Amino acid sequence: DVQLVQSGGVVVQPGGSVRLSCAASGFIFDDYTMHWVRQAPGKGLEWLSLISWSGGDTDYADFVRGRFSISRDNSKNSLYLQINSLRPEDSGFYYCAKDSSGYYFDYWGQGTLVTVSS
Amino acid sequence: DIQMTQSPSSLSASVGDRVTITCRASQPVGIYLNWYQQKPGKAPMVLIYAASNLQSGVPSRFSGSGSGTDFTLTITSLQPEDFATYSCQQTYNTPYTFGQGTKLDIK
């Protein structure tokens, strides 16, 4: 079975940094583009970033470009999201998601709660 | 960026009802339109991809239609497990924007 298992929740001070991880199993990880999506409390879903199967191509939503960095380690079947200069409005659930190769997200991680608070 | 607007934002219905949720894109997205269901405390789950294709394992009471800028998700004969939040997403180009969500609850 396909599984995406994300790292545990974190509390970070404003201005701090965090690296989220997503461990994949049950599929050939380096065949697929991967994504990060977030959801602020009580709000809708926001697409953040994607990384190609090789890691050679990345893309970001404009509102995170420069502060967020997506990466992957195919030898470890793992996806990462580095977030710097955290702001209170970055608080919420962060999800990793697998691209189906058909322009939709067919599997999602369980989510990681990031709380930015002093 | 392509803006996705769903209506209504919330909807009350009864078991057995037929409901329709609409999604409008600010510019044409072809059929690069997906629908997700999300229950409280859970990750989203794809229901419909490419506007009208039912994801494997999803009950046939869910259906999608549309192309270009206007899309609909229809649920016939609502079941108790269908009360959730539904979101559309365009994957025509990045950023892959979502609608604001439609919360479907029990009347």
Side-chain angles (χ1 to χ4, degrees), chain A residues 39 47 59 103-105 108-109, chain B residues 34 36 38 43 55 91 94:
Chain A
Q39 187 169 39
W47 177 84
D59 199 359
Y103 292 93
Y104 65 97
F105 303 171
W108 296 64
Chain B
N34 310 308
Y36 297 86
Q38 188 177 21
Q55 174 69 345
T91 51
T94 59

Side-chain angles (χ1 to χ4, degrees), chain B:
Chain B
D1 297 0
I2 299 174
Q3 309 303 316
M4 308 301 294
T5 304
Q6 289 181 233
S7 61
S9 295
S10 63
L11 176 60
S12 294
S14 302
V15 172
D17 284 353
R18 171 189 172 105
V19 299
T20 298
I21 299 168
T22 64
C23 178
R24 176 163 288 175
S26 61
Q27 63 190 74
V29 298
I31 60 167
Y32 291 93
L33 190 286
N34 310 308
W35 290 97
Y36 297 86
Q37 177 193 69
Q38 188 177 21
K39 296 182 179 179
K42 299 295 186 182
M45 179 184 79
V46 65
L47 300 173
I48 302 287
Y49 64 93
S52 62
N53 293 273
L54 192 67
Q55 174 69 345
S56 175
V58 174
S60 59
R61 62 182 180 272
F62 292 92
S63 64
S65 65
S67 66
T69 60
D70 294 302
F71 301 87
T72 62
L73 172 70
T74 300
I75 314 171
T76 58
S77 190
L78 272 171
Q79 298 301 299
E81 60 268 28
D82 299 338
F83 293 94
T85 297
Y86 294 86
S87 299
C88 61
Q89 177 204 32
Q90 66 81 20
T91 51
Y92 181 75
N93 57 24
T94 59
Y96 291 154
T97 42
F98 291 86
Q100 80 278 16
T102 296
K103 185 176 181 181
L104 174 58
D105 60 23
I106 300 174
K107 185 184 289 184

Side-chain angles (χ1 to χ4, degrees), chain A residues 18 25 27-28 35 41 45 48 53 56 58 64 66 73 108:
Chain A
V18 67
S25 62
F27 65 101
I28 302 172
H35 302 264
L45 299 162
L48 300 176
W53 63 272
T58 60
V64 303
D73 185 337
W108 296 64

Side-chain angles (χ1 to χ4, degrees), chain A residues 42-85:
Chain A
K43 301 296 185 182
L45 299 162
E46 287 186 301
W47 177 84
L48 300 176
S49 181
L50 69 80
I51 186 167
S52 64
W53 63 272
S54 66
D57 291 310
T58 60
D59 199 359
Y60 297 90
D62 283 346
F63 60 86
V64 303
R65 199 180 303 271
R67 284 198 306 127
F68 289 30
S69 178
I70 191 171
S71 61
R72 66 191 295 162
D73 185 337
N74 287 343
S75 70
K76 295 182 179 179
N77 287 352
S78 291
L79 174 72
Y80 306 99
L81 185 69
Q82 176 74 34
I83 311 174
N84 299 323
S85 303

